[in-house]
Amino acid sequence: MALSGEIQPQIAEGIDRKALTTLRNRFMAINRSRLQRVLQALPARQYNVLQLIPLLFDVNHPLLPGYVARSTPHGLTGYVPEPNILHTAQALTRSFSYRRHPAGFSAEIQSLYLMGSGGTIAQSDQSDLDVWVCHAPQLSHGAVAELAAKCQLITDWAATQGCEAHFHLVNPASFSLGDRDNALSIEDCGSTQHYLLLDEFYRTAILLGGRHPLWWLVPDYEEKHYADFTRQLIDKRFIRSHESVDLGHMARIPAGEYVGAGLWQLFKGIESPYKSVLKLLLTEVYASEHPQVRCLSLDFKHAVYANQLDLDELDPYVMLYRRIERYLLARREPERLELVRRCLYIKADVRLSRRTGSLGWKRSLMEKLVREWHWDTRQLQQMDNRHLWRVGEVTRERQQLVSELTHSYRFLSQFGRSNGVINQVNSRDLSLLGRRLYAAFERKAGKVEVINPGITPDLSEPLLTLAQRSGAGADQTSWSLYRGTLSQPELDDHVPLKYTRHLVDLIAWAHRNGLVDAATRIAVHPGDSALSEFELNNLLAALRQHFPLPLPALTETALSRPSQPCQSLLLVNVGLDPLPVTSQKNLHLISSHTDALGYSGLRDNLILSIDQVTLNSWNELQVNRFEGEHACIQALCDYLNKAHEHQHRPDLRVACFCRNRSSAIAERVEQLFQDATRQLLAEPPSRFLLQVQNSFQILERRDGVIDITRLADRDRLMRYLGSARQHYSPLALDRFALQGQDTALMLRQSRAGEIQVFYRLLPDRQAEISVLDELGALWRTRQACRDEQTLLLPLLRFLHSIRLRRQVNQSLETSLREEPLSIHAIRPAADGLPLRLEAQKVPNRGIETDYYAVQAIAEPGDDQSLKVSIFCGQREFSELDHGADLFSAAARHIIHQRAGTEDYPCYITDLDLSAVDPTGGMQTVHYLRYRQRLEDALNAAMGIARN
């Protein structure tokens, strides 16, 4: 039996035209009431905009907003403007005079609908006007383009009136089939949400003028037979076709739409969660009921047919809340339900703890709901003061919002896969969304947590206290941030807003979350640190300068790629004084050693810590700290490794505000990072030599990772430089490495495939000779120097012999190419000139002329040692003949061959290692080492023989 006033049309029994008229009147009455609620909430200028919109589409007057051309589609079906609307139009242009359309005129605009939150409890001062413009299906592409231009002009005019209006063109014939090209609403993320969008339209749309929806006249129990029911309504002339617009039915929602709609809401919810939670929960409700889902629009229509016309209960957001409430109560999830209630209260924006500021109907409706929720005055005050929420409240709310968003993501993923509706498009969207959620909310070491995703508009504090606190251990200090200005004794009585082990972690968190702005005053209790208010203010200014808020919007392009560092700020010696003794005595060291990594004669390392603050392409702010004597090298390697891994060099800035030499330290670090980056990230990369105090570090890129070789002193460095290499690798020197030493001059001359000889004259008729071979290995020796002209002849003869031997194992073309060789004299600083190199000519004579040849041949022995034979002229001395007396026998022979009694060294002029190195791949430094060992043994034997 039908309830009082309930209408239940049945095609089989015949439809009562009077009943259809009653139904239409019920819907129109609700429509008028909702429109009145919209108008009541609008300021005067926005009120005028909404009132004029139907008129602007009905007429095509050149002096009214929206005029494009005489041919632009216009005319709104059945529209007759009221006098007050004509008066408003004439206020815009006095020459406007309204004329009815002539008989036979065919209106090209079928209807205008306002959809969304207008006229609902969720309408606010920030709500925009979302208008659907349903036009005649037969319009040409050119006419539709003109109509779109008209919409844009009206949008632009509305903006001048302080009103945000959006118009969306709808072709009813194609839309009813699910075919559309444009996004109909900013709430819509694409054509995959046709039915969910239509559901929202049917339960929120307000008819501004033109035809009413045909859907109104189809009872909810006939939704599955929508096409047949509507055809009979028209064919049997129960209704006239030109009185309604057909946008389709709500009989079935494809499973894939829940995934698409949920994804879109999640994307928006990350930055504005309160606006998305309600719609996300509704999507979850629908999906959980699939495929037997009964959408809210059908509930709305059923209520009208049942004559349940309470406007408050038919409010689209109240209906949405009621459905979610039933769902969560059935699931016994009270915390989620409380979050939904808070979201609805915030959406309504009525502030019940105050007595002014909201519409009467909204206030009374919200009061009714709040009584049902059993909220007390304290909770209402807390909600109404949300703009004053501080860190504690925001953090607790964030936890629930993040939990809800994460739950929705997992629910959508599972639903989509279990129903087989994860296609290539939304699979990609799911991946992007997962990355966006990860970037926004995932905790990881060093990442600065964002606690305010649209919860409160402002977290800034006028007064804060920053204090270093001591823990149980000697090194267990931490930094805490408190609200207000507190003295040292008061700290124990207050709970900090946040505490961290390191200072930069804390101030980066305060900056990223907006607790500190330019107006914030901070009291500092530095504890054992050297932090001053001057340094703290400059640190905060540096963060504001390099990471200004709000951060740029995160793009889909950025999310589609792995995150990579974009900006890096290095903060050096935060809260540390690199020269505490001089600070205490108020002294300043004066020294020519100004390098921050080897300062003064004591070669102090002034770089004690580096805090690296990095913003990546996913808008994640990361803080990494490096401390101790290797802080600079560790930070450098971390920077280089990430830059090489991502094939992207982040924008680098360095700042230092410590008490001593801050500018020089910052400049030194920035230069070092720039120089090292230029060398180690080049293709091919160079090695990079850096001196820290009296030790040395060699940075080298191996398999994409920066490898460090640490050398404790100069002797170990020289052994490293003399070691053989498999291939040539340039060695670049940091600008302060080996400063003022001839080794630095020589190393900077290294060239692939070139042998370079350097000599330096020493006192007491001595000379130091160095050779950089073709692969950059450095060999050095000292020898007696009779004169500068003949000093290098023995070495040059030996190198000439090595070259001739190598040519045997080379192709003819290669052997004809002269192996480059150069000579430099090292001149000491004198007469105002610095230590320097002077290029010398390679002598043309004396190398290949007749001389007493001493040749050595080395072969592998049975015990893996080398067996040596020495040829003095044409005389052979071998271990087979002389055994352990080999060098003694050769030495006596050489002494006997000398005409005079002058004592001078013997030099090996040729060395054959072909038995050891049959391919000729050994580098020159190998030959020089073997030669040195043989010469040392031979000259030692000669010294014994003379005595």
Side-chain angles (χ1 to χ4, degrees), residues 153-302:
L153 289 175
I154 298 175
T155 295
D156 296 342
W157 166 74
T160 66
Q161 306 301 302
C163 179
E164 184 179 351
H166 304 279
F167 299 90
H168 310 282
L169 299 183
V170 178
N171 180 337
S174 58
F175 184 89
S176 63
L177 301 175
D179 179 21
R180 58 186 175 86
D181 298 324
N182 60 315
L184 293 173
S185 165
I186 59 170
E187 298 297 316
D188 172 32
C189 75
S191 59
T192 58
Q193 292 183 39
H194 173 80
Y195 288 99
L196 287 173
L197 178 66
L198 191 57
D199 174 50
E200 183 178 359
F201 171 81
Y202 280 145
R203 58 191 167 85
T204 67
I206 298 174
L207 179 63
L208 299 178
R211 305 181 183 185
H212 64 76
L214 179 59
W215 178 83
W216 281 0
L217 303 182
V218 180
D220 60 292
Y221 49 81
E222 293 286 358
E223 200 78 18
K224 292 182 179 179
H225 310 109
Y226 180 87
D228 182 59
F229 195 97
T230 55
R231 185 175 61 253
Q232 293 196 50
L233 283 177
I234 296 173
D235 291 349
K236 295 182 178 180
R237 301 183 180 180
F238 290 111
I239 62 172
R240 298 185 180 95
S241 59
H242 66 271
E243 293 178 345
S244 62
V245 60
D246 184 6
L247 296 175
H249 64 83
M250 288 302 306
R252 174 182 172 273
I253 301 177
E257 288 209 9
Y258 305 126
V259 177
L263 286 174
W264 180 243
Q265 291 300 330
L266 270 171
F267 268 110
K268 296 194 302 176
I270 290 171
E271 293 184 358
S272 301
Y274 286 121
K275 295 181 180 180
S276 297
V277 164
L278 294 172
K279 291 186 178 181
L280 275 171
L281 259 299
L282 181 62
T283 303
E284 181 179 331
V285 172
Y286 281 4
S288 67
E289 297 174 357
H290 182 80
Q292 304 300 323
V293 59
R294 180 178 174 84
C295 55
L296 286 176
S297 58
L298 294 181
D299 287 345
F300 166 66
K301 183 159 62 171
H302 176 80

Side-chain angles (χ1 to χ4, degrees), residues 473-538:
D475 60 343
Q476 295 298 311
T477 59
S478 64
W479 288 89
S480 299
L481 191 65
Y482 300 84
R483 181 183 293 115
T485 301
L486 304 177
S487 64
Q488 185 74 40
E490 292 176 313
L491 297 178
D492 291 335
D493 298 328
H494 291 77
V495 177
L497 300 174
K498 188 176 180 63
Y499 60 89
T500 59
R501 183 177 179 185
H502 302 298
L503 174 59
V504 175
D505 293 342
L506 188 56
I507 63 174
W509 175 85
H511 165 70
R512 180 67 179 87
N513 288 289
L515 272 75
V516 179
D517 59 21
T520 304
R521 306 295 297 174
I522 304 177
V524 179
H525 299 292
D528 296 331
S529 75
L531 180 69
S532 63
E533 288 190 16
F534 169 83
E535 182 179 10
L536 176 61
N537 290 334
N538 279 281

Side-chain angles (χ1 to χ4, degrees), residues 317-334:
Y317 275 86
V318 173
M319 293 185 68
L320 181 150
Y321 166 73
R322 297 290 191 203
R323 176 68 73 88
I324 295 173
E325 181 184 48
R326 290 195 298 271
Y327 172 74
L328 294 178
L329 286 174
R331 291 173 58 90
R332 298 181 180 179
E333 295 180 322

